[in-house]
């Protein structure tokens, strides 16, 4: 069985901050998509690029469009074998 990949929450928030052009310090697991105007279709594409570049995982726009919060993204990453650690 393949070892799960680990990524720190700080790294994840850094990628989200780049994709959504926000300060990483403003991010939390319960931060919602609705509270970030830059989490739009362009932001989603930038997030796909960040996840691909940093985790070598591909996500469909559909998978990411269903997310309502950063916590949802963490749950999706877990399904793909990536554990987000504090």
């Amino acid at each position: 069985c393949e070892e799960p990949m680990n990524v720190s929450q700080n790294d994840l928030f850094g990628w989200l901050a780049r994709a959504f052009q926000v300060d990483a310090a403003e991010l939390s697991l319960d931060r919602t998509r609705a509270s970030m105007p830059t989490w739009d279709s362009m932001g989603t594409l930038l997030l796909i690029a960040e996840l691909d570049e940093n985790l070598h995982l591909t996500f469909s726009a559909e998978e990411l469009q269903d997310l309502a919060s950063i916590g949802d993204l963490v749950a999706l990453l877990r399904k793909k074998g990536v554990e987000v650690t504090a």
Side-chain angles (χ1 to χ4, degrees), residues 1 13 24 31 34 36 38 48 50 53 56 68-69 73 78 82:
C1 150
F13 285 3
R31 180 81 191 257
M36 284 193 282
T38 52
I48 290 171
E50 286 287 341
E53 184 180 324
H56 310 292
S69 69
L73 174 61
R78 190 171 291 132
V82 177

Side-chain angles (χ1 to χ4, degrees), residues 4-67:
M5 192 185 325
N6 286 319
V7 62
S8 78
Q9 188 172 294
N10 282 345
D11 284 346
L12 177 64
F13 285 3
W15 306 333
L16 289 165
R18 275 201 300 274
F20 302 138
Q21 300 162 353
V22 295
D23 186 338
E26 296 174 17
L27 300 176
S28 64
L29 293 177
D30 57 4
R31 180 81 191 257
T32 62
R33 178 184 195 136
S35 73
M36 284 193 282
T38 52
W39 191 343
D40 55 12
S41 53
M42 189 67 211
T44 299
L45 290 175
L46 293 169
L47 178 59
I48 290 171
E50 286 287 341
L51 295 172
D52 182 40
E53 184 180 324
N54 293 290
L55 299 174
H56 310 292
L57 289 176
T58 49
F59 294 87
S60 69
E62 289 72 37
E63 283 176 302
L64 296 178
Q65 277 167 347
D66 292 340
L67 304 178

